[in-house]
Amino acid sequence: MSKANSSTDTGARTEEAETGARTEESAAEREQERVDHAAGERLSTAPREERPETESESGTGVPAMGVVGWIRWFWRQLTSMRVALILLFLLSLGAIPGSLIPQTSVDDLKVQNFKDQHTTLSPIYEKFQLFDVYSSVWFSAIYILLFVSLIGCIVPRTGQFVGQLRSRPPGAPKRLNRLPAYTTWRTEAEPEQVHEAALGVLGKRRFRAHAAGDAVAAEKGYLREAGNLIFHIALIVMLVAFAAGQLFKSEGGKLVVEGDGFANTLTQYDDFKSGSLYDSDSLAPFSFVLDDFVGTYEESGPQRGTPRTFEARVKYTEGADGPERKGVIRVNEPLVVDGTKVYLIAHGYAPVVTVRDGKGKVVSRNSVPLLPIDNNITSTGAIKVMDGYRDKNGVKTQLGFKAFFVPTFAGHGKGQMFSQFPGAEFPVLALSAYRGSLGVDSGLPQNVYQLDTSKMKEFKNEDGELLKKMLRPGEKLDLADGEGSITFDGIEEWASFQISQQPGNGWALGGAIAAIAGLAGSLFIQRRRVWVRAVRGPDGVTVVEMAGLGRSDSAKLPEELGDLAAALITTAPVAPEKTEAPEKPEAPESPGAPGPSDDATNEAGSRPVHPAEAPAEGAEK
């Protein structure tokens, strides 16, 4: 009975000892797996995705996080790359209606015409601020959230990346044959010689390498993460540049007839718009005179009428007392004066007309710009005589003429009166005459190209119809009852300019270039690590192992490892095979130690296996 009890106690103690040994072995394996896993960590500075911890996991079902915890969790979500991409996508979607729907900040007249034509959609668009997309609440919210998200994402990642640059590559995992790229061979060189040669080979290939224990650890491809950070920093620069450009910009238009000039003051602009933080005192002091506009066109073939030369020749002065200089403004080639750009945006004709009263006195003589309505510069407009005219009874009154101009008339009986060519080859001016009040004294703004005839009477011809006539240069239209005349003296050309001052364009361009460069680096540069281990085997021959690990799978990593192995073999050549197989040694004391029966050699004995030929789990399988 006592023997049975003793035997039972002994078996129990033996079982407990075996269980404890297995537990210790399992703990050691887990610790080694943790060390091996650390070798592949920190290949990226991307933040880990986390979710709020809840007590539901412990069975209570009540959130365990307080207000501060939830704020931290929402901050992590906002600064995650996923949310930044979503916000960037929403910003792109938000810009679509700004491109398709007329914007108040660009053209008030188009917005008003759109509202008049779409009485149902207009209230909806106004409610969602679609006529002012870029200054709307919802677009600004997306813009600001994206800005905060990018900053919150970049700042910690930059700190992590700087920390990685200051640290050394991690030591080699215990089992290199488990890495995706692996090769091994046996050599008669000393382990120290192999390590020294490995440091030299890796250094020449621009790896950051150092000796770590029984191996050499090296890392390369830091520019991948640097490119990623540069890309996001460039996005912030672009956002800031665009915001500054919208807040401090100024933009105006001016139509100038040949011989006339422009001075950069608010009163000289035909229309002017500026950002909310713009100071009108910051207008750059300069002026220019339009000497001549040169426009030539294709005269034959399928491209007849296509502009060939389109340029405005000007004389400009920078500052109040600056010297006069000559310049040429072309399409997409603006004149730049003290940070302000003068763009050429349109061209047309200005008939020169002379108006006389019934006594033959010249009441008005000027060139009247007309508005083109097609590509051949068929133009319409109004000629208004507001002061200086008296009728036959000596009563002050105003004259108005509706004008229709074609630079190249096809001729009578050859279709409608539309220009056949944009050049002034056969100019004709059609006029119809009115008298009365132009409505300019009411103080309400008027369109200079339109004539309001609501308070005017028509001049009648002999048949009692509206007095109208087509004039060639030098011809005149006599008003009824000896009220005077209007003469078509000739034509001049005009050019329309856009004068804009928008700070931040240079920063935006630099940010765009940096973003493209950073994106290219983050896409085409691979972050990878290489380890070289050389240990002496039981038979006195050094076993060399090389392995590589990249952030993502790439076919170039095995090729690169093979090239490194080929360079290292020149210093640590492959040992010749022995004719007699060595006596099988006992199992190594520590698990995973290299030996003749372990993973130190490959199927060919001592021939190194190219990583591209090796299976994923090692060279021996």
Side-chain angles (χ1 to χ4, degrees):
M1 187 72 178
S2 61
K3 288 183 179 181
N5 292 337
S6 177
S7 176
T8 303
D9 294 341
T10 302
R13 287 194 299 270
T14 303
E15 185 176 354
E16 291 177 358
E18 292 177 354
T19 303
R22 286 195 299 268
T23 302
E24 293 178 358
E25 182 179 356
S26 177
E29 290 179 354
R30 287 195 299 270
E31 178 65 19
Q32 185 59 45
E33 290 178 357
R34 185 188 65 79
V35 173
D36 292 348
H37 178 70
E41 287 183 342
R42 296 188 297 111
L43 282 174
S44 171
T45 59
R48 296 187 180 91
E49 295 292 336
E50 298 183 17
R51 61 187 180 88
E53 182 182 355
T54 62
E55 292 185 4
S56 59
E57 298 174 353
S58 60
T60 62
V62 180
M65 295 171 56
V67 176
V68 177
W70 279 104
I71 292 176
R72 289 177 178 175
W73 181 79
F74 280 116
W75 173 254
R76 294 190 188 102
Q77 300 306 308
L78 178 61
T79 56
S80 66
M81 191 58 59
R82 179 180 65 254
V83 173
L85 292 175
I86 292 175
L87 291 173
L88 190 61
F89 178 71
L90 291 177
L91 196 70
S92 303
L93 287 181
I96 294 177
S99 302
L100 301 179
I101 300 174
Q103 298 296 296
T104 305
S105 60
V106 178
D107 195 330
D108 291 328
L109 183 60
K110 284 187 177 181
V111 173
Q112 187 60 46
N113 292 337
F114 184 91
K115 291 180 179 179
D116 295 339
Q117 296 174 5
H118 304 83
T119 56
T120 303
L121 285 176
S122 295
I124 300 175
Y125 285 0
E126 287 181 342
K127 184 177 181 180
F128 289 99
Q129 300 178 303
L130 296 183
F131 293 118
D132 299 279
V133 169
Y134 302 110
S135 59
S136 63
V137 175
W138 56 269
F139 191 87
S140 300
I142 297 174
Y143 197 93
I144 294 173
L145 285 175
L146 178 60
F147 189 81
V148 174
S149 177
L150 288 175
I151 292 179
C153 179
I154 289 174
V155 171
R157 293 186 67 170
T158 302
Q160 294 177 21
F161 182 61
V162 172
Q164 292 181 15
L165 291 177
R166 299 178 63 182
S167 63
R168 291 186 173 186
K174 183 176 180 180
R175 300 178 181 178
L176 293 177
N177 60 346
R178 291 185 176 183
L179 299 183
Y182 174 79
T183 186
T184 181
W185 71 92
R186 291 156 55 87
T187 180
E188 294 181 350
E190 297 295 328
E192 293 78 10
Q193 295 177 353
V194 176
H195 289 163
E196 185 177 354
L199 288 172
V201 170
L202 293 169
K204 291 180 180 178
R205 304 295 178 93
R206 298 189 299 277
F207 277 85
R208 291 179 58 200
H210 72 106
D214 61 348
V216 172
E219 190 168 0
K220 188 179 182 181
Y222 289 92
L223 287 179
R224 177 189 180 94
E225 196 61 31
N228 196 5
L229 293 174
I230 290 173
F231 171 74
H232 291 89
I233 293 174
L235 287 182
I236 293 180
V237 172
M238 292 172 63
L239 290 176
V240 173
F242 290 147
Q246 292 298 317
L247 293 174
F248 297 96
K249 74 173 183 178
S250 68
E251 184 177 279
K254 180 63 178 179
L255 186 148
V256 182
V257 181
E258 289 177 330
D260 291 343
F262 166 80
N264 193 27
T265 59
L266 287 178
T267 57
Q268 289 279 298
Y269 283 92
D270 295 332
D271 60 87
F272 184 82
K273 297 181 183 296
S274 63
S276 58
L277 300 181
Y278 180 77
D279 183 6
S280 59
D281 294 335
S282 61
L283 284 172
F286 72 91
S287 61
F288 67 86
V289 175
L290 177 60
D291 280 345
D292 185 26
F293 180 87
V294 179
T296 60
Y297 308 90
E298 187 70 34
E299 296 184 356
S300 62
Q303 294 185 343
R304 185 174 185 269
T306 303
R308 294 306 180 198
T309 304
F310 203 77
E311 61 185 31
R313 299 173 181 176
V314 300
K315 293 178 181 177
Y316 68 96
T317 301
E318 184 175 355
D321 302 322
E324 187 177 72
R325 303 175 182 175
K326 291 184 178 181
V328 178
I329 307 175
R330 301 181 179 89
V331 178
N332 296 326
E333 295 182 19
L335 174 67
V336 182
V337 184
D338 194 14
T340 301
K341 295 183 179 180
V342 182
Y343 293 91
L344 174 63
I345 59 175
H347 157 256
Y349 293 99
V352 181
V353 296
T354 301
V355 179
R356 294 178 173 85
D357 60 13
K359 298 180 180 181
K361 177 185 177 181
V362 175
V363 176
S364 171
R365 187 183 189 280
N366 56 7
S367 54
V368 182
L370 301 180
L371 184 66
I373 60 174
D374 61 18
N375 292 333
N376 287 328
I377 319 184
T378 302
S379 307
T380 64
I383 302 173
K384 301 177 183 180
V385 180
M386 293 177 284
D387 299 309
Y389 176 79
R390 294 177 183 270
D391 60 14
K392 61 182 180 180
N393 299 321
V395 179
K396 289 184 178 182
T397 187
Q398 296 175 332
L399 299 180
F401 302 88
K402 288 185 178 179
F404 195 91
F405 175 78
V406 288
T408 302
F409 183 46
H412 293 284
K414 295 184 179 180
Q416 297 178 344
M417 187 178 172
F418 281 92
S419 180
Q420 307 299 307
F421 187 74
E425 296 185 352
F426 193 80
V428 172
L429 176 65
L431 298 174
S432 55
Y434 299 83
R435 61 183 172 182
S437 175
L438 293 169
V440 294
D441 298 330
S442 62
L444 299 176
Q446 282 191 351
N447 190 330
V448 296
Y449 301 106
Q450 295 179 353
L451 183 66
D452 183 7
T453 61
S454 60
K455 297 180 180 181
M456 305 189 77
K457 295 182 180 180
E458 300 175 350
F459 279 98
K460 302 291 185 179
N461 59 16
E462 296 177 353
D463 299 328
E465 297 179 352
L466 174 64
L467 179 63
K468 54 185 179 180
K469 186 177 181 180
M470 298 173 60
L471 304 177
R472 291 273 294 141
E475 298 179 349
K476 70 176 180 177
L477 169 64
D478 291 320
L479 303 180
D481 301 327
E483 295 284 352
S485 65
I486 179 171
T487 304
F488 178 24
D489 297 325
I491 56 173
E492 292 180 350
E493 297 182 80
W494 59 259
S496 181
F497 300 94
Q498 176 180 297
I499 300 94
S500 63
Q501 182 179 3
Q502 189 166 6
N505 284 346
W507 285 98
L509 177 60
I513 295 175
I516 294 174
L519 184 61
S522 64
L523 291 177
F524 298 108
I525 298 176
Q526 185 185 19
R527 184 93 173 266
R528 64 269 195 200
R529 289 171 178 162
V530 172
W531 293 275
V532 181
R533 174 179 286 140
V535 295
R536 191 181 302 278
D539 57 352
V541 179
T542 301
V543 178
V544 181
E545 291 182 292
M546 292 187 68
L549 178 65
R551 179 180 175 184
S552 58
D553 294 336
S554 173
K556 294 183 178 180
L557 181 61
E559 295 178 4
E560 184 176 30
L561 189 68
D563 294 338
L564 292 172
L568 187 57
I569 284 177
T570 58
T571 304
V574 177
E577 297 184 10
K578 296 182 179 181
T579 56
E580 295 182 2
E583 184 178 352
K584 185 176 181 180
E586 297 180 358
E589 297 181 1
S590 60
S597 61
D598 204 352
D599 293 338
T601 58
N602 48 50
E603 294 180 357
S606 59
R607 179 182 66 84
V609 178
H610 193 282
E613 302 173 358
E617 293 297 330
E620 287 197 36
K621 294 187 179 180

